[in-house]
Amino acid sequence: MKKKLFPTLLFNYLSFNYLFCFVFLGYTLYPNKILAQKNNNQKLPFELTRIEPKEWWVGMQNKELQILLYGKNIGTAEVKIGKSDAGNIKILRTEKPENQNYIFLYVDLADAKAGKFEIILTKEKEKKPIIHTYTLLTPEKPREQYVGFTPADVIYLVMPDRFANGDPKNDVVKEMNPKAIHNRNEPFGRHGGDLLGIEKNLDYFAKMGYTALWLNPPQENNQPDQSYHGYAITDFYKIDARCGTNEDFGRLVKSARQKNLKIILDMVFNHCGSEHWFIKDLPMKDWIHQFPEFTQSNYRLSTTVDPYVSQFDYDKMQMGWFDRHMPDLNQRNPHLATYLIQNSIWWIQYFGIEGIRMDTHPYPYPDFMAKWCEAVFREYPNFNIVGEVWESSAITSAYWQKNSKNAKNYNSNLPSLTDFPVSDALNGAFNENDGWNTGLSKIYYALVQDGIYPNPEQNVIFLDNHDVSRYATNTGKDLRKIKMGLAYLATLRGVPQVFYGTEILMEGGGDNHGKLRGDFPGGWAGDKVNAFTQEGLTNDQKDLQNYTQKLFNWRKSATAVHTGKMMHFVPDNNVYVHFRYNDNNSVMVLGNNSNDPRKVDTKRFQERMKGYTSAKNALTGETITNLSELLLPAKSVTILELMK
Ligand code: CA
């Protein structure tokens, strides 16, 4: 830098003198010509290339709006509000960070109405300013009508790149990386699935009894490689062109709603892709966590509740990078915090999504995450958010649920979380013989921990997801075990979530992410097997798919398992019995984990069976008139609707 300093200064000095002579002489000789040049040809020394968010709404609870202005040297501009038919727009603050390519403009919308107003960027009076016309919209519906998923829903998790290719033309987008579509046999490449593929198959989801779709992030992931999963976002406001367009996403949300399917969008606030435009030109040094050398998170969520934790471990968990190509965002930077909060509100307001699944929820600063949830629910009191809390102990999981009692008096404001303790139990139970704390007792003990959750019925429960070994793999493709798992998913407290393909025995181990996120058969033209039509499925696959369909369609109207109370009885001799009940309905669920049929004397369950004289098998429709002794098939779960 020092070497260059002198020649640069000298050049500036000389050029200034030349310029001065030229301007002076020119002005004297041809004054009109020079003035005309000033107005038309002399460009301002800055540019405006990006504005986020592109639009906003009036009538929001939070009246303050951050507008990010980006462009070369824009920080040297003066900012004014010009003409407005959107009411009185007041500038609260114009914040210019150390990188001159950014301005964070904060405006007050308290007196705003729907319409347009000008943002004027200027520097020297005689030069034509840059004028951007900003739009304020009226919300489509009252804020109370932006509803989220509930325990009455069944969530189906779909990875957009791997479900169905609705538009082969968008498989490769020239300007994006990688430049070529990967062979579909390449587990870590892009396979071409997209939003249109999901939209074309809405009838399949509805038919199966799923009522909500959680999509792994379809937001732009323009990374050199391996970003088919969506968790390395490079533009928070844009659908990845390989998945489709923002318009496609909006249409998907609307078409899904017509079929009573809710769309839950995955979001990531902990990190973004290394190719994100603002990472390549950081607004300020503390926008991300930076270290002298690459520092990775220790991924230990336990550090957030551990009474003996060291500051070293705690900081590493919060500030370490998730991966080399995923810079760790610093949500304690107030501009970034506001940016992220507004981004989530924009997706809800613009598209009407019906839920957010927040990735790596405990990894950003807990104080920020609590503030974020509060801000979302302040705008949309009936919305819902599930945070990914990948932790096998209930005490650590429960810490993250709204109103939890904990030593730090931390309140996350987060209604729902991913229930890994129950998932672990459902993955272990059927592979074991029943003992004091093995087999069905695993499920029993997992639920005993519920006392620590403020709202266990809000937990999202699952057998598998895009990060862990598939259920078919974990159960050795034993149809009986998989059906048991699904039956518990449908009847335990919580919001069930099914991973795409679980219903057709798709396999894959957690040690190979690319493979466990296989393509859904039938989603690609020319697929020999088609799970949408059952063409080419094995008998086992068909059987399981039919079972899943029956089970979750039954659940749609089973109000007792949505919101009813729960009572269970200590597992005994390989049999575990639980009830879900409300004033009008009572569901009795009997699990037999033994390899033999079991005759069960129901005397010990009288507390909940009193007054009932018969029952209907929820899946077979069979009526049972003798409730004193029930016959349970080997390795099975029987669901009975009790009748008076
Ligand atoms: Ca495609």
Side-chain angles (χ1 to χ4, degrees), residues 240-267:
D240 192 289
R242 280 82 50 104
C243 283
T245 61
N246 283 21
E247 289 68 38
D248 289 341
F249 183 71
R251 205 184 53 248
L252 171 64
V253 175
K254 286 202 165 68
S255 323
R257 189 171 301 134
Q258 283 166 7
K259 306 213 182 260
N260 292 318
L261 288 157
K262 297 170 180 169
I263 298 289
I264 300 169
L265 186 65
D266 215 319
M267 291 189 185

Side-chain angles (χ1 to χ4, degrees), residues 59 107 285 305 362 374 399 432 451 469-470 483 490 515 553 618 622 635 639 644:
V107 294
K285 193 169 178 288
V305 296
E374 190 184 21
Y399 176 84
E432 298 172 345
S469 292
R470 282 188 170 273
K483 286 180 181 174
K515 204 165 176 207
N553 275 290
E622 180 197 358
K635 273 281 189 222
I639 304 171
K644 283 187 175 158

Side-chain angles (χ1 to χ4, degrees), residues 97-148:
E98 62 225 35
N99 180 342
Q100 289 207 333
N101 297 337
Y102 289 83
I103 291 177
F104 294 94
L105 175 66
Y106 291 87
V107 294
D108 181 0
L109 301 182
D111 299 323
K113 53 185 186 174
K116 292 178 189 301
F117 66 90
E118 288 178 347
I119 298 171
I120 300 178
L121 298 158
T122 181
K123 191 171 167 73
E124 296 141 55
K125 272 184 192 156
E126 63 275 17
K127 290 178 186 169
K128 203 175 164 187
I130 292 176
I131 300 176
H132 176 83
T133 305
Y134 198 88
T135 305
L136 290 176
L137 303 162
T138 310
E140 260 185 37
K141 53 188 180 186
R143 65 197 191 97
E144 292 79 10
Q145 289 178 20
Y146 290 81
V147 295

Side-chain angles (χ1 to χ4, degrees), residues 165 167-168 170-171 192 194:
N165 190 355
D167 180 8
N170 65 16
D171 290 358
D194 48 39

Side-chain angles (χ1 to χ4, degrees), residues 42 261 367 421:
Q42 292 192 6
L261 288 157
D367 48 349

Side-chain angles (χ1 to χ4, degrees), residues 64-259:
E64 188 174 316
L65 172 66
Q66 174 200 75
I67 302 173
L68 185 157
L69 304 167
Y70 178 73
K72 200 173 175 195
N73 293 324
I74 199 165
T76 62
E78 289 163 29
V79 187
K80 291 189 297 191
I81 301 296
K83 279 185 281 179
S84 165
D85 66 6
N88 182 22
I89 312 294
K90 286 187 290 278
I91 291 184
L92 294 168
R93 303 185 297 287
T94 305
E95 304 254 3
K96 297 177 176 179
E98 62 225 35
N99 180 342
Q100 289 207 333
N101 297 337
Y102 289 83
I103 291 177
F104 294 94
L105 175 66
Y106 291 87
V107 294
D108 181 0
L109 301 182
D111 299 323
K113 53 185 186 174
K116 292 178 189 301
F117 66 90
E118 288 178 347
I119 298 171
I120 300 178
L121 298 158
T122 181
K123 191 171 167 73
E124 296 141 55
K125 272 184 192 156
E126 63 275 17
K127 290 178 186 169
K128 203 175 164 187
I130 292 176
I131 300 176
H132 176 83
T133 305
Y134 198 88
T135 305
L136 290 176
L137 303 162
T138 310
E140 260 185 37
K141 53 188 180 186
R143 65 197 191 97
E144 292 79 10
Q145 289 178 20
Y146 290 81
V147 295
F149 60 89
T150 73
D153 284 308
V154 175
I155 301 170
Y156 191 60
L157 164 58
V158 170
M159 182 162 282
D161 182 59
R162 302 297 169 89
F163 191 73
N165 190 355
D167 180 8
K169 288 198 297 292
N170 65 16
D171 290 358
V172 180
V173 175
K174 258 190 230 154
E175 315 77 66
M176 298 185 77
N177 290 311
K179 302 292 177 207
I181 190 169
H182 287 79
N183 180 332
R184 275 176 64 205
N185 296 322
E186 165 54 55
F188 295 99
R190 286 213 170 243
H191 290 188
D194 48 39
L195 296 180
L196 195 62
I198 294 167
E199 191 184 350
K200 281 179 175 172
N201 290 298
L202 290 175
D203 285 336
Y204 174 73
F205 310 124
K207 182 183 87 178
M208 288 299 293
Y210 310 135
T211 62
L213 301 178
W214 153 26
L215 310 182
N216 295 120
Q219 292 92 317
E220 187 191 88
N221 271 241
N222 193 10
Q223 291 284 116
D225 215 345
Q226 295 208 15
S227 61
Y228 67 93
H229 48 64
Y231 291 97
I233 294 174
T234 55
D235 188 332
F236 281 97
Y237 281 95
K238 195 174 174 217
I239 294 292
D240 192 289
R242 280 82 50 104
C243 283
T245 61
N246 283 21
E247 289 68 38
D248 289 341
F249 183 71
R251 205 184 53 248
L252 171 64
V253 175
K254 286 202 165 68
S255 323
R257 189 171 301 134
Q258 283 166 7
K259 306 213 182 260

